[in-house]
Structure formats: C-alpha cells, structure tokens
Amino acid sequence: MSYFGMPSVDLLGEQIDAVLSAPSTTHGLARSLRTAAWEIELHRYHHASQRAWPDSRIDLKPTKVQIGGGTHRIEDFFNIDAVPPADLLWDVREGIPLHDDTVELIFSEHFLEHIDYPRSAKNYVREAHRALTPGGKIITGVPDAAFALSQYPGPLNPADEMVERWYAKRDCRNDINTQLDLVNLVNLVFRDQDDDPKYTPHLWAYDYEKLVQLFTEAGFATVEPWTFDTKIANPKRRWGSVYVVATK
C-alpha cells in the first residue's frame, strides 16, 4: 500500500488487469481501464528514470534531440520517448530533462497531437524553449487539420485517397460513410481511436495557424513553414501533415 491507504501503482495495475480479463467487464469500462493501464505503464518508465535523475536533468547535454519518435531513429539525434525504444525513457508532459540553453535542434513529428492541450502541450513547448540555445530551433510536424477539413462540407468519395491511405485496413473502415466521418477520423486528426490496448489516441488538432500561435506564445522569435527533409523526417508522415520550424 502507498500513502493514505491508496494502492501502489503496481497493485493498481494488477487490479486493472484482473478486471480487464473478466468476461463481465463492459466495453466502455474496458476502454477506460486500458487508458489507465497505459498511463500506469508510462508512469513506471518515467518513475524509473526519475529515480536516476531526481533533479529532472540528465548529465548528458545532447545538441540534437528527437522527442516522441517511436521506432523512427535519426542519426546523431538523442531520442527521448515515454516508451522503448529510446535513449531516455521520460514522460515529457512532466518537463524535458535537459539543461537550459544546451540544445541546438529538437525534432518531433506526429507526437504533439498525442498529448493534452492546453496544459501538457503548452508546457512541452515552453520546456523546449528553455532547453534550446539562443538561435536554436524546434521542428514540429503534426497531422494537418486544415487538410482534413478541406473537402468539408460535401459528399464522401468512397475512393478518397485519405480513406485509402489510413483506414482501408482498419476495423472502422465500413463505418466511414459521410464526409463528417472523415473529418472525425481522417489523418488521425481529431478523435481517432482504436480498441487496440497499445493505441494512443489523438487529443488535439493543429493547423499552421495554431502552431504559429502556440510557439509564439512560448517566446519563440520566429515560426515558419519547414521544408520536408527525408534525412530527418519519416517519409510516411509527409502526406497530409504540416511542419513548422520555430527559432528561439
């Protein structure tokens, strides 16, 4: 047991697993509990790293950092992610464990939309500003909400490239019947969800204007469109995405 009689994280995880395995557990409860189980897993990774770096600053001072890259690795970039594989397992919703004014370049794509707005998203951008050197840059790519909305309102073309690219093999494909369904689902922008226990839903939609506002509010001097570079970015992410580069 932990403080105030609350169960420990490990015990809570075991209890959730037991409820999830019960045949009587409803679909709605199972979805909610899977979200909790996922957060418990993230907490375990983060807490283990936090024990090693209790002041939330690692000894290393990398000059190029990728955040939330998953399995996409970039040569010469230090990778920070909440789950393996990564050079450092850390939940950046709780801050970026890098020293002030030490990083020259931060890169992330299709990560920002997975964290809650405004608290975590704004905190992440402020933390990036703190860690960057004067003149340092952060490149951010996200699904482009303006692109997803470009055909709305109007009839849905069943052969729409957006449907085929992202949903042809998904269980929900037969439930995309109108253009509004596409707005909800296409390009993983607004509320794309899945019953896969490891799936991380999107929590906020962004377009170019919103990215400019977000980084400007955090103190960045300039925010401009970024020319897609396959030496850094994942080619699979190019279509239907918007990228900006913000300079401190």
Side-chain angles (χ1 to χ4, degrees):
M1 299 294 286
S2 62
Y3 299 111
F4 308 116
M6 294 293 289
S8 69
V9 169
D10 288 339
L11 179 57
L12 183 58
E14 292 173 4
Q15 293 172 336
I16 288 176
D17 289 342
V19 176
L20 283 172
S21 63
S24 59
T25 299
T26 61
H27 175 69
L29 178 59
R31 288 192 65 159
S32 297
L33 290 178
R34 281 198 295 267
T35 299
W38 176 246
E39 290 293 341
I40 288 172
E41 184 175 2
L42 299 186
H43 175 84
R44 287 194 182 107
Y45 289 130
H46 178 78
H47 189 58
S49 294
Q50 201 170 41
R51 286 198 299 268
W53 314 106
D55 62 351
S56 297
R57 296 291 183 271
I58 62 174
D59 292 341
L60 296 174
K61 295 183 179 181
T63 58
K64 293 190 289 187
V65 175
Q66 179 181 214
I67 292 179
T71 58
H72 177 67
R73 304 301 293 264
I74 311 172
E75 186 176 357
D76 298 328
F77 274 70
F78 184 80
N79 290 272
I80 300 175
D81 207 337
V83 294
D87 298 311
L88 176 68
L89 300 179
W90 195 275
D91 186 348
V92 297
R93 293 175 298 181
E94 303 301 316
I96 300 176
L98 302 173
H99 295 272
D100 296 359
D101 305 314
T102 57
V103 184
E104 296 174 2
L105 178 61
I106 296 174
F107 178 82
S108 78
E109 60 182 344
H110 286 241
F111 157 74
L112 186 62
E113 70 275 11
H114 287 286
I115 62 177
D116 57 283
Y117 177 93
R119 181 198 178 278
S120 293
K122 289 191 173 185
N123 184 56
Y124 163 71
V125 173
R126 287 193 298 265
E127 281 285 280
H129 186 273
R130 174 191 60 76
L132 285 167
T133 60
K137 300 178 184 296
I138 178 171
I139 298 168
T140 302
V142 292
D144 186 2
F147 177 77
L149 289 167
S150 62
Q151 302 301 315
Y152 180 84
L156 176 67
N157 178 1
D160 191 297
E161 186 176 6
M162 290 183 279
V163 176
E164 292 305 310
R165 277 179 178 265
W166 283 294
Y167 290 94
K169 298 180 180 180
R170 293 282 296 275
D171 291 342
C172 63
R173 172 61 187 89
N174 292 332
D175 298 307
I176 302 175
N177 306 309
T178 70
Q179 194 64 240
L180 186 57
D181 293 331
L182 200 58
V183 168
N184 274 293
L185 295 170
V186 74
N187 203 21
L188 319 183
V189 172
F190 290 99
R191 54 173 66 87
D192 185 62
Q193 302 177 51
D194 203 297
D195 284 328
D196 186 331
K198 294 295 184 181
Y199 186 79
T200 307
H202 288 201
L203 302 179
W204 204 257
Y206 295 89
D207 60 6
Y208 177 75
E209 180 184 17
K210 184 59 186 177
L211 290 174
V212 170
Q213 182 274 326
L214 182 66
F215 286 100
T216 301
E217 180 183 284
F220 285 87
T222 62
V223 187
E224 301 170 311
W226 182 68
T227 302
F228 195 89
D229 184 354
T230 55
K231 293 191 297 294
I232 299 177
N234 187 342
K236 294 180 180 179
R237 299 295 194 186
R238 184 172 191 169
W239 197 85
S241 298
V242 56
Y243 287 77
V244 299
V245 53
T247 304
K248 181 175 175 179

